[in-house]
């Protein structure tokens, strides 16, 4: 059975972008693949984050995974730092990755901002840790949003160069799996910016745990234009905000954006927005309700995560041993 690996950072509230770009797809995939879904806490410390917030976020991500439909009896759900092999292989791959490759990573440029001297070594080297996450499990497919494509391509480059440097087939080359619709959900305030949990404005995003009132307000205030909707999605090319809202609707409803345009053709946003609001609430309400239920028993969440870590460790250890041996380390 083909193997899947993906992960999410416990660095803040999860958004509709995470759901449509990643989580929703993960749930479908667990029916036909051997899936590992990780809470990448070691990635989350590459940016400033209070320890108490990190701890809460880890439980929240675990609860969100399960509330969205990831089932610990079908998928391996675990916390990255529970499996030491990630850090170990991450270091080894870092020693085999030219700085020139890391310099091209756009996420580092975005996250480091203007003052690169102040960015941490961890933030810079983070793609090597991500490569280790994926390569440890001989992963075939990595379901992610569009923004992660570059990191998966780098992972392939690292795998290929290590395999050929040691003339060994140490790592399987993974492929990114990116949905056609929903791979890039944009901010509600600016249709050219990604919807992100790190945007300073809460009104730029819909969080999976937002209550009904807040969802109503956020969609009401979402930036749009005064034009009616066209009957053809291609005509929205230079109307990024309108394009985004149609994409969200399509993605939640399981229709093509073209079909949604046909349904709402000629209508103004005063008609479309209430329909979108109703759909978002219908889909998110059960999830946020379930997240709250799951968070009320953290012991139970911890038990699932421990089991997941045990399985992940077993799967990771042959690859790590093999890599250590090939690199020339002496076995204990
Ligand atoms: P992150 O929130 O950066 O840890 O991302 C976790 C997963 O959600 C990754 O697969 C991202 O590609 C995906 N993701 C994050 N934001 C968006 C977005 N605005 N649209 C689509 N996918 C997203
Ligand atoms: N870097 C990813 C993000 O910011 C999270 C991540 C870490 C990941 N390790 C991974 C995603 C391995 C897929 C596979 O979204």
């Amino acid at each position: 059975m083909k193997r899947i690996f993906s992960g999410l950072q416990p660095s803040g509230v999860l958004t509709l972008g995470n759901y449509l770009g990643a989580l929703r797809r993960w749930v479908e995939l667990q029916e036909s693949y051997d899936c590992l879904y990780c809470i990448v806490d070691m990635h989350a410390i590459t940016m400033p984050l209070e320890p108490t917030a990190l701890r809460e976020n880890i439980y929240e991500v675990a609860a969100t995974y399960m509330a969205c439909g990831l089932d610990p009896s079908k998928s391996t759900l675990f916390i990255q730092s529970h499996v030491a092999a990630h850090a170990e292989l991450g270091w080894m791959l870092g020693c085999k990755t030219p700085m020139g490759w890391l310099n091209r990573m756009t996420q580092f440029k975005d996250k480091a901002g203007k003052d690169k001297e102040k960015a941490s070594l961890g933030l810079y080297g983070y793609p090597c840790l991500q490569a280790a996450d994926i390569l440890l499990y001989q992963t075939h497919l990595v379901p992610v949003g569009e923004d992660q494509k570059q990191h998966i391509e780098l992972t392939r480059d690292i795998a290929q160069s290590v395999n050929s440097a040691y003339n060994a087939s140490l790592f399987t080359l993974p492929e990114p799996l990116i949905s056609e619709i929903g791979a890039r959900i944009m901010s509600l305030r600016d249709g050219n910016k990604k919807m992100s949990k790190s945007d300073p404005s809460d009104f730029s995003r819909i969080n999976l745990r937002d209550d009904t009132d807040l969802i109503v307000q956020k969609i009401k205030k979402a930036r749009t234009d005064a034009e009616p909707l066209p009957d053809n999605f291609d005509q929205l090319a230079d109307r990024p905000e309108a394009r985004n809202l149609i994409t969200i609707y399509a993605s939640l409803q399981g229709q093509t954006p073209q079909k949604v345009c046909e349904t709402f053709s000629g209508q103004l946003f005063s008609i479309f927005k209430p329909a979108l609001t109703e759909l978002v609430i219908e889909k998110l309400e059960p999830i946020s309700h379930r997240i709250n239920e799951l968070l009320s028993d953290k012991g139970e969440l911890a038990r699932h995560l421990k089991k997941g870590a045990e399985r992940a460790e077993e799967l990771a250890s042959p690859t790590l041993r093999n890599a250590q041996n090939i690199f020339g380390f002496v076995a204990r």
Side-chain angles (χ1 to χ4, degrees), residues 46 97-105 108 116 119-128 154:
T46 58
T97 306
M99 285 170 64
W101 291 4
L102 293 173
N103 288 338
R104 293 205 291 267
M105 297 298 112
F108 174 75
K116 291 209 176 25
S120 70
L121 177 61
L123 184 66
Y124 183 69
Y126 150 139
C128 298
L154 180 76

Side-chain angles (χ1 to χ4, degrees), residues 5-7 9 40 43 107 126 130 133-134 142 144 148 151:
F5 184 98
S6 199
Q9 295 192 51
V40 291
H43 278 92
Q107 192 176 65
Y126 150 139
Q130 181 163 354
D133 298 341
I134 297 167
V142 188
V144 281
Q148 291 299 315
H151 289 158

Side-chain angles (χ1 to χ4, degrees), residues 193-223:
K193 248 172 68 181
K194 182 184 91 155
M195 181 182 285
S196 161
K197 56 192 166 199
S198 55
D199 192 296
S201 162
D202 193 51
F203 272 72
S204 69
R205 61 180 163 258
I206 291 172
N207 306 313
L208 294 183
R209 294 181 77 194
D210 281 346
D211 63 26
T212 305
D213 283 352
L214 200 51
I215 294 174
V216 171
Q217 283 182 50
K218 284 180 175 177
I219 297 180
K220 203 180 258 175
K221 291 212 171 134
R223 194 161 140 191

Side-chain angles (χ1 to χ4, degrees), residues 40 52 58 80 85 88 94 117 141 154 162 190-191 254 269 274-275:
V40 291
T52 45
I58 291 171
Q80 187 184 32
E88 297 178 68
E117 294 289 310
L141 295 166
L154 180 76
V162 172
D190 177 351
F269 282 98

Side-chain angles (χ1 to χ4, degrees), residues 145-177:
E146 184 71 42
D147 61 331
Q148 291 299 315
K149 196 168 169 210
Q150 199 184 29
H151 289 158
I152 314 304
E153 280 163 2
L154 180 76
T155 300
R156 281 177 69 88
D157 290 344
I158 295 174
Q160 215 153 15
S161 89
V162 172
N163 283 349
S164 83
Y166 293 97
N167 196 18
S169 46
L170 186 51
F171 301 124
T172 303
L173 299 194
E175 302 271 356
L177 195 61

